[in-house]
Amino acid sequence: MKPREIFGVAVRLLAVWFWTQAAYWIFWAAAKSIGHFAGDSSISPREDICVAIFYALLGVFLMSGARSLVWLAYGDAPKPPLDADAAGDPTGPSGQDTAADA
């Protein structure tokens, strides 16, 4: 894998991690609102939901903007070299005419 591909995978993986953080905060908000208190009492369920929304939106931003972030970091993708066949050249890669003479 090339570094730009690894960076793209890392950005997407970070987005998934943010979504798991959002699920974590939603879990604690639900646990606090049901009454099964097992967390920080100074943070209300409403604040837990706000943090979860922040992480979810951050994950959406990273996942949807991964290609743009790779472009910002690495620029345009390098163009693959043209083959003689792809360019429509009737001669083969060796430069000899490959068409049968009639």
Side-chain angles (χ1 to χ4, degrees):
M1 286 182 83
K2 296 179 183 174
R4 71 181 293 119
E5 294 169 348
I6 293 172
F7 182 74
V9 170
V11 168
R12 289 174 179 91
L13 188 62
L14 188 62
V16 171
W17 183 77
F18 282 139
W19 287 336
T20 60
Q21 287 295 307
Y24 168 84
W25 285 97
I26 289 172
F27 170 78
W28 284 115
K32 287 178 186 177
S33 65
I34 291 172
H36 298 291
F37 180 76
D40 190 0
S41 63
S42 65
I43 300 173
S44 70
R46 181 174 291 196
E47 291 171 327
D48 287 339
I49 293 294
C50 289
V51 172
I53 290 171
F54 172 74
Y55 278 126
L57 289 176
L58 194 56
V60 168
F61 169 74
L62 284 176
M63 190 62 79
S64 64
R67 287 185 182 165
S68 299
L69 290 172
V70 170
W71 177 79
L72 282 172
Y74 287 94
D76 289 334
K79 304 255 189 270
L82 288 176
D83 288 342
D85 296 333
D89 190 7
T91 60
S94 64
Q96 299 174 353
D97 191 10
T98 57
D101 292 328

